[in-house]
């Protein structure tokens, strides 16, 4: 066996049969349908390494297109680990801009249009020229709509007819949007600037219309890999077709069940039609889920099994490969404030039990939901990272830290071992290990700088693993690595609970995930009026579920605000009857008219005596400024008892006692029926049914004893 054969065998050694089939498929069109957590990045990087090591081409002849700079950076790192260098792994825009800057100056008379950092200014100018009065928010909506149109290959003249044909809602009168669109194009031309859509369009035009440029690009890039192919826009596909020409050596990877970006112009039709377009294509399905426990995988399969439409024809039923884990936890809260507080409490408990904050995420449908969780987590001293906020290397504290590191290179610190040099250099910006602020913005800034220090350790370990140099890495070399990462926006993991919208969470994963705000009208959003839009909302929930490796909690508040109108559970979850969630009412049963509510009794705080107005404070009997000490061990025993009793009764856990009632019991430690009955949420029927068991737990009894008492009383 030759050394090349041994290398090829080693590449395949740790792959499952489907991954191996994807890696070793013959040159030509290959479509890999890869479910969540099935190892698609491993499959495509090994396929590139297989093709290069087999001698088909050099790494410089490969273009791997991803949708985020982070994914591109991860792909380059994995390829380096496989001994492959030179692969052009970039986003569509990055790859196009690089080619345009190299080949396109002649096309524009020697001066390439400047890339506009923000389009809002030009949208405002265009709206004024079109005679339309707007606000900043209206300009943002117009910018989003024009970006969608450009990505969908719809020009100003065709806009009105195009949206009428597909039934799309416009942010203003369609005729007005078309006028602003036309004026926007003209404003850019006059200012000599281009936007990101222009970068793709200009590059595609350049390759299509300039044969010499097309020959040079196509001779350089001979094999293409496209990740997340279900999210390609018509404009991106046009550029891809220009890159390919009449060749067909392309591998695409995608999952129709994760099509969630149609609002940007993305469409799954190119993935769905790939084997029709390429009749000789190889089709491989990856369905072994290595990310999530069988409990998480099972719920994901239940959700997507009910999908409809074209994407449903290509859905994959995942097969969990991990050992069994905890059940998916479903909980209903009185309102959104209680939900945020209890989720924050659970996050704090997980961190106290040893789970890293960076392995926890709180995911929601809209960015507006973020603030409540930022505040609730800060109250518990838990650091947070808001995905979708300022990019990591654009954060002021990160920029200052990198300046401090570079400045230290020429000092005595630059002569120290890297593990000592980095902490010493970062003292200039006030950072010290093990000196984290308690929470809030200062803690978030501290954790961002801590992530840089962590990169130094990772950089050293990678050097040792790759045997790149016998000597220890220097601070100067580490600064060069930071420069590379910053240029590629390859950010490190920051220690903190991630707060992210479901859209922003795509492509990420955590040990513990809290999916919050799962009320109908929020998910699916009220704006999802068509069947297609409803199905995309279902896929969005599916994406959220499949982000979790081990722990998954689903929750929603019955009301948006304390005392507000009651809402229904997300319609995709309601039929499943998950414990902790109300079941769907039988449509044959007539609705019961609600009795009018009595005026609420005025309650005073047991600590300071002030009137209690917040619903949660009223239930606990004290305001947030006068916290009582909760018996955490008692609280956990009561939660376990509640779950077991609810399971025996075949009903949601919250119908036994809500979390707030359990907290009140753990804080007050009642020792009699009278004291127990005085707590909010414990009426006569619950006192009769559960009182003896609760008092048993308060007095130190075991969960088993309390369950036996409950069953005996019942």
């Amino acid at each position: 066996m030759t050394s090349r054969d041994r290398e090829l065998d080693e590449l395949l050694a740790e792959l499952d049969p489907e991954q191996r089939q994807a890696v070793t498929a013959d040159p030509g069109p290959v479509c890999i349908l890869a479910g969540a957590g099935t190892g698609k990045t491993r499959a495509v990087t090994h396929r590139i390494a297989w093709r290069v090591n087999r001698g088909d081409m050099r790494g410089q002849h490969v273009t791997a297109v991803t949708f985020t700079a982070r994914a591109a950076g991860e792909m380059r790192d994995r390829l380096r680990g496989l001994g492959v260098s030179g692969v052009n792994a970039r986003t569509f825009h990055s790859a196009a801009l690089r080619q345009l800057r190299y080949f396109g100056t002649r096309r524009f008379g020697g001066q390439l249009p400047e890339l506009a950092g923000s389009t809002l200014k030009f949208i405002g100018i265009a709206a004024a020229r079109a005679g339309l009065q707007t606000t900043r928010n209206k300009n943002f909506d117009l910018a989003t709509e024009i970006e969608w149109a450009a990505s969908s290959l719809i020009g100003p003249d065709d806009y009105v007819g195009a949206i009428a044909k597909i039934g799309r809602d416009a942010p203003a009168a369609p005729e007005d949007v078309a006028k602003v669109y036309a004026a926007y194009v003209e404003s850019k031309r006059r200012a000599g600037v281009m936007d990101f859509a222009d970068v793709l369009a200009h590059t595609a035009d350049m390759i299509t219309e300039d044969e010499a440029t097309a020959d040079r690009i196509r001779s350089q890039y001979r094999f293409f890999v496209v990740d997340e192919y279900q999210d390609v826009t018509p404009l991106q596909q046009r550029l891809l077709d220009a890159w390919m020409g009449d060749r067909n050596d392309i591998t695409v990877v995608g999952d129709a069940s994760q099509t969630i970006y149609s609002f940007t112009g993305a469409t799954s039709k190119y993935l769905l039609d790939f084997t029709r377009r390429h009749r000789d294509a190889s089709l491989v399905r990856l369905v072994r889920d290595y990310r999530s426990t069988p409990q998480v995988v099972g719920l994901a399969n239940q959700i997507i099994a009910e999908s409809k439409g074209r994407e449903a024809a290509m859905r994959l039923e995942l097969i969990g490969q991990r050992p069994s884990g905890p059940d998916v936890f479903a909980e209903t809260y009185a309102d959104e404030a209680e939900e945020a507080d209890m989720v924050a409490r659970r996050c704090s408990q997980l961190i106290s039990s040893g789970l890293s904050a960076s392995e926890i995420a709180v995911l929601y449908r809209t960015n507006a939901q973020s603030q409540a969780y930022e505040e609730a987590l800060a109250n518990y001293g838990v650091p947070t990272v808001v995905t979708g906020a300022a990019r990591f290397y654009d954060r002021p504290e990160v920029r200052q830290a990198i300046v401090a590191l570079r400045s230290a290179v020429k000092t005595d610190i630059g002569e120290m071992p890297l593990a000592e040099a980095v902490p010493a250099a970062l003292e200039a910006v006030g950072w010290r290990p093990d000196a984290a602020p308690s929470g809030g913005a200062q803690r978030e800034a501290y954790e961002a700088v801590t992530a840089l220090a962590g990169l130094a350790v990772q950089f050293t370990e990678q050097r040792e693993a790759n045997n790149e140099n016998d000597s220890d890495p220097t601070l100067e070399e580490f600064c060069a690595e930071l420069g590379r990462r910053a240029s590629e926006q390859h950010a490190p993991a920051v220690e903190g609970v991630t707060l992210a919208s479901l859209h922003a969470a795509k492509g990420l994963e955590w040990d513990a995930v809290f999916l919050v705000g799962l009320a109908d009208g929020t998910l699916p959003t009220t704006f999802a009026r068509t069947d297609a839009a409803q199905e995309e909302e279902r896929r969005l929930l599916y994406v959220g579920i499949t982000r979790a490796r081990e722990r998954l909690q689903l929750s929603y508040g019955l009301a948006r605000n304390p005392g507000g109108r009651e809402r229904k559970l997300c319609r995709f979850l309601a039929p499943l009857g998950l414990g902790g969630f109300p079941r769907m009412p039988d449509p044959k049963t007539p609705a019961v008219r609600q009795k009018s509510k009595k005026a609420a009794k005025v309650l005073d705080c047991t600590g300071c005596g002030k009137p209690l107005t917040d619903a949660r404070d009223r239930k606990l009997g004290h305001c947030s400024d006068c916290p009582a000490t909760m018996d955490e061990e008692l609280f956990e025993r009561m939660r376990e008892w509640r779950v077991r009793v609810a399971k025996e009764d075949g009903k949601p856990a919250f119908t036994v006692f809500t979390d707030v009632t359990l907290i009140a019991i753990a804080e007050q430690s009642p020792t009699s029926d009278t004291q127990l009955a005085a707590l909010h949420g414990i009426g006569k029927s619950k006192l009769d049914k559960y009182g003896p068991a609760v008092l048993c737990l308060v007095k130190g009894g075991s969960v088993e004893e309390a369950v036996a008492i409950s069953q005996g009383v019942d």
Side-chain angles (χ1 to χ4, degrees), residues 33 52 112 131 201 207 253 330 335 388 420 476 491 522 525 548 558 580 587 627 645 653 676 679 685 714:
L33 299 179
V52 171
L112 201 67
I207 298 172
V253 190
D335 49 56
E420 299 175 13
E476 185 173 11
T522 300
T525 174
L558 283 171
V645 169
L676 190 58
L679 299 180
S685 61
D714 198 11

Side-chain angles (χ1 to χ4, degrees), residues 525-642:
T525 174
T526 54
F527 299 107
R529 300 185 182 96
T530 65
D531 290 343
Q534 288 281 330
E535 286 304 308
E536 183 149 332
E537 294 287 301
R538 180 193 299 277
R539 295 192 294 270
L540 198 55
L541 175 60
Y542 174 80
V543 166
I545 291 169
T546 54
R547 300 310 95 196
R549 298 191 192 105
E550 296 179 8
R551 298 176 181 272
L552 176 63
Q553 173 174 316
L554 314 176
S555 65
Y556 84 112
L558 283 171
R560 186 177 300 279
N561 300 305
R565 181 175 58 85
E566 188 170 310
R567 302 179 298 179
K568 295 180 179 178
L569 172 64
C570 165
R571 67 190 64 180
F572 310 131
L573 291 167
L576 305 184
L578 295 173
F581 280 159
R583 295 179 182 274
M584 287 185 71
D586 188 338
K588 297 178 182 178
T589 303
V592 178
R593 182 175 297 175
Q594 291 185 329
K595 297 179 181 179
S596 59
K597 296 181 179 179
K598 296 180 180 179
K601 179 182 177 183
V602 177
L603 296 177
D604 295 331
C605 175
T606 55
C608 63
K610 293 180 181 178
L612 298 176
T613 56
D614 181 81
R616 182 177 181 277
D617 292 349
R618 290 169 59 83
K619 292 173 185 176
L620 294 178
H622 62 81
C623 64
S624 56
D625 294 329
C626 298
T629 302
M630 186 179 84
D631 185 336
E632 296 279 355
E633 190 271 339
L634 173 58
F635 177 73
E636 291 302 324
R637 281 190 292 120
M638 285 195 297
R639 276 188 56 207
E640 185 179 346
W641 163 79
R642 180 183 63 174

Side-chain angles (χ1 to χ4, degrees), residues 460 462-474 477:
T460 302
Q462 285 178 340
R463 286 279 294 268
E464 292 174 352
N466 296 336
N467 296 315
E468 292 181 7
N469 201 320
D470 293 334
S471 61
D472 292 332
T474 66
E477 290 172 328

